[in-house]
Amino acid sequence: MIQNRNEILETVERYNVAGPRYTSYPTAVQFTESFDRETLDRALEQRGEKVQDLSLYFHIPFCFSLCWYCGCTKIITRDQDRGDVYLDYLAKEINLVKQTIHPESTVRQVHFGGGTPTFLTPVQLRRLGALINNGFNIHEDVEFSVEIDPRRCGEEHIIALSEIGCNRASLGVQDTNPDVQEAIHRIQPFSITRQVTELLRKHGISEINFDLIYGLPRQSTSTFNQTIDDVIRLDPDRLAVYSYAHLPALMPAQKLLSEDELPSPREKLEMMMAAVERFPEMGYRFIGMDHFAKEEDELSIALDDGTLQRNFQGYSTHSGLEMIAFGMSGISQGDDLYYQNEKDLAQYYEDLDEGRLPVKKTLFLSEDDKIRRDVIMQIMCQATIRFETFREKTGFHFKEYFSAEIEKLQPMEAEGFLLVMDDQLIIREKGRLFLRNIAMTFDWHLSQKRGHTNYSKTV
């Protein structure tokens, strides 16, 4: 049980500020379109000189209909023939990328995201699977996951996914309440979610994740508790419980939502606290700031052995993988370099027609970026920073390197969010609800751009 609930709720207004989710550090807003193509090419050539483990992400941008809350890069269409054209260009991109990775590198993770990956027909899914399985060295224990909109996923889709090696599925549920579904323009009877879950297990895709969102229009703590009751009956392995990010200036579709129906920051925090209290009672560990997993799930194992990480898909296993993204808007993450593909589909196609990787933005990391990245990822993934380990890895003393940041943490320490000791920094139970705020203290780029509004609120 969460202690001092009322006290925590009273802190909301003080800490409900705009801030990153830290799926990376530095964050994507630091990427720049002003980069030298030759410098990028040299960096990618160097990537190809070493054998490494890889994570591959494939962005499928198409959706049949618009969900008004959604902030993903997507294209609304009902023309599935566009999937064939898109796969033609993914094949071109795969061929170019293969020239920048060592032929003995091994793929440990594959993820289909979107958009709606199951917009693709079963035939198209099999073709994409063949491109991947024939183009890369796939590890026999690869984690192969796909995001699924249950409204657009039939049994033939699931059979195709199973045939190409998929073994984990993330189902977009968001909320099971009909009024909330109406408010966000995503009608999804719970019977459909149940049916797709059962079909996945029937065809051997037994590792199931559900995605929920709190803070949506017409939601209340009561309705969100009912959603928790509904989804837990289907016995998922993991649950992602995301905070709704209302940014209509950046995401025009959100202007269709009624802001009068949005819950208050206090109500949002009450919903998250309900999840934090209830899911552990049902056998799910609280992983980081917004994920829950069974004890035997790989996320729980990664939390225990220190390999839990965050990337642009959220919490993940297998830290240290080079992540390479394919498709429009996809973001690749290496140790020294991040880059993002073109968001404009026509330009993405044009670049590939001209035989060049469709890179729109890049970010080359400094040594300070890498140091701060490790610290922020420890906050988000381990809730502990051991100073001796930091010194052994960097050569610096934590309290000296981050003396200004430790001073800034004092109000949070007084709030009971964390404890700065002689040998470590520990985030306490209360602080786990405010991980983004704690991490922001160590964000050098954020400190240089005060008042930045491209982020969602932290609560």
Side-chain angles (χ1 to χ4, degrees):
M1 293 289 289
I2 294 175
Q3 304 297 317
N4 304 317
R5 293 178 60 89
N6 290 334
E7 181 183 321
I8 293 173
L9 291 169
E10 290 300 323
T11 66
V12 170
E13 293 303 327
R14 294 197 296 277
Y15 290 95
N16 188 32
V17 297
R21 294 178 184 266
Y22 293 111
T23 50
S24 75
Y25 180 83
T27 63
V29 298
Q30 307 305 330
F31 292 18
T32 177
E33 296 182 20
S34 301
F35 66 92
D36 180 67
R37 177 66 67 159
E38 290 185 2
T39 302
L40 173 64
D41 289 342
R42 283 197 299 272
L44 295 178
E45 286 176 9
Q46 292 173 358
R47 177 173 75 184
E49 294 173 357
K50 57 183 178 180
V51 178
Q52 55 189 325
D53 288 339
L54 305 174
S55 174
L56 307 183
Y57 172 74
F58 292 85
H59 189 78
I60 312 299
F62 306 111
C63 294
F64 287 102
S65 61
L66 179 66
C67 299
W68 293 348
Y69 63 87
C70 181
C72 299
T73 302
K74 69 271 184 186
I75 295 170
I76 307 302
T77 180
R78 302 189 72 81
D79 181 4
Q80 288 180 284
D81 289 342
R82 297 185 69 175
D84 289 315
V85 177
Y86 192 73
L87 290 175
D88 290 341
Y89 283 91
L90 282 180
K92 292 183 178 184
E93 188 178 4
I94 287 171
N95 287 331
L96 289 174
V97 168
K98 283 171 61 178
Q99 299 172 32
T100 72
I101 61 175
H102 196 284
E104 295 179 15
S105 290
T106 302
V107 174
R108 300 296 301 264
Q109 288 181 318
V110 179
H111 185 73
F112 292 174
T116 305
T118 48
F119 172 92
L120 298 178
T121 66
V123 171
Q124 291 167 342
L125 287 170
R126 289 186 178 92
R127 181 185 171 196
L128 178 55
L131 289 172
I132 296 168
N133 286 302
N134 295 333
F136 301 94
N137 297 323
I138 308 297
H139 194 276
E140 61 181 1
D141 293 324
V142 66
E143 179 185 271
F144 192 150
S145 59
V146 59
E147 296 172 13
I148 286 179
D149 179 348
R151 303 171 302 163
R152 306 293 181 184
C153 183
E155 187 166 11
E156 289 303 314
H157 288 91
I158 294 170
I159 292 171
L161 288 167
S162 178
E163 288 176 355
I164 66 175
C166 180
N167 50 35
R168 180 178 291 279
S170 292
L171 277 64
V173 178
Q174 324 317 347
D175 191 284
T176 63
N177 184 277
D179 287 339
V180 176
Q181 292 179 3
E182 179 183 48
I184 63 176
H185 197 239
R186 184 189 174 98
I187 305 301
Q188 183 174 315
F190 190 62
S191 59
I192 293 177
T193 303
R194 179 187 296 108
Q195 180 183 42
V196 171
T197 301
E198 292 171 351
L199 286 172
L200 286 164
R201 288 173 172 148
K202 172 184 175 182
H203 293 288
I205 304 176
S206 58
E207 297 175 346
I208 308 292
N209 313 348
F210 288 162
D211 292 344
L212 308 180
I213 298 178
Y214 65 98
L216 294 170
R218 303 184 193 172
Q219 270 184 337
S220 66
T221 305
S222 175
T223 63
F224 194 67
N225 271 313
Q226 184 59 54
T227 292
I228 291 174
D229 289 339
D230 290 338
V231 298
I232 211 68
R233 293 202 302 269
L234 300 185
D235 194 31
D237 299 280
R238 299 178 190 170
L239 297 117
V241 184
Y242 296 118
S243 170
Y244 168 61
H246 190 62
L247 296 167
L250 295 176
M251 304 170 190
Q254 294 183 351
K255 295 177 182 178
L256 297 168
L257 299 174
S258 174
E259 292 191 354
D260 292 341
E261 295 179 331
L262 291 172
S264 69
R266 184 184 179 105
E267 290 171 323
K268 282 188 69 177
L269 186 57
E270 285 180 334
M271 293 179 207
M272 185 57 189
M273 289 169 67
V276 170
E277 285 187 328
R278 297 193 62 202
F279 282 127
E281 294 173 353
M282 301 169 179
Y284 295 85
R285 295 177 69 186
F286 185 21
I287 308 289
M289 69 175 188
D290 52 21
H291 278 52
F292 300 83
K294 290 181 176 180
E295 289 282 348
E296 64 273 17
D297 185 85
E298 290 183 355
L299 273 188
S300 286
I301 296 170
L303 176 65
D304 290 335
D305 66 19
T307 60
L308 185 68
Q309 66 162 350
R310 279 181 72 74
N311 58 33
F312 285 101
Q313 283 79 59
Y315 283 101
S316 182
T317 57
H318 300 300
S319 64
L321 298 186
E322 175 99 10
M323 191 177 83
I324 303 177
F326 298 83
M328 61 174 284
S329 82
I331 300 177
S332 299
Q333 290 176 278
D335 188 49
D336 303 297
L337 168 67
Y338 302 161
Y339 61 90
Q340 182 171 26
N341 282 353
E342 278 283 352
K343 284 189 173 183
D344 179 78
L345 185 61
Q347 186 61 54
Y348 169 79
Y349 286 167
E350 182 178 326
D351 284 354
L352 289 167
D353 280 335
E354 295 180 1
R356 64 174 178 267
L357 288 172
V359 177
K360 178 67 171 180
K361 299 179 181 181
T362 69
L363 177 67
F364 288 88
L365 278 67
S366 69
E367 289 306 312
D368 180 70
D369 286 335
K370 295 178 188 178
I371 289 171
R372 291 175 183 272
R373 175 181 61 189
D374 286 351
V375 168
I376 288 173
M377 290 304 124
Q378 286 179 64
I379 290 170
M380 304 301 289
C381 298
Q382 301 297 330
T384 302
I385 302 168
R386 292 181 170 82
F387 300 158
E388 180 60 23
T389 302
F390 176 86
R391 188 195 63 77
E392 290 173 354
K393 185 171 184 179
T394 67
F396 298 105
H397 292 281
F398 186 90
K399 286 189 174 183
E400 292 177 3
Y401 196 94
F402 292 114
S403 59
E405 287 78 3
I406 289 175
E407 185 174 346
K408 292 177 184 177
L409 287 173
Q410 288 179 359
M412 295 189 199
E413 187 169 15
E415 295 273 13
F417 289 2
L418 54 92
L419 187 61
V420 180
M421 305 171 69
D422 290 337
D423 61 343
Q424 60 186 323
L425 183 154
I426 298 175
I427 296 170
R428 306 171 79 172
E429 180 186 60
K430 184 177 179 181
R432 295 185 70 189
L433 296 168
F434 299 93
L435 287 179
R436 292 165 68 180
N437 301 80
I438 297 170
M440 286 165 64
T441 307
F442 295 89
D443 188 332
W444 181 87
H445 296 278
L446 192 65
S447 70
Q448 305 305 301
K449 294 188 176 182
R450 299 188 186 282
H452 205 294
T453 58
N454 282 354
Y455 298 115
S456 62
K457 293 293 184 71
T458 55
V459 177

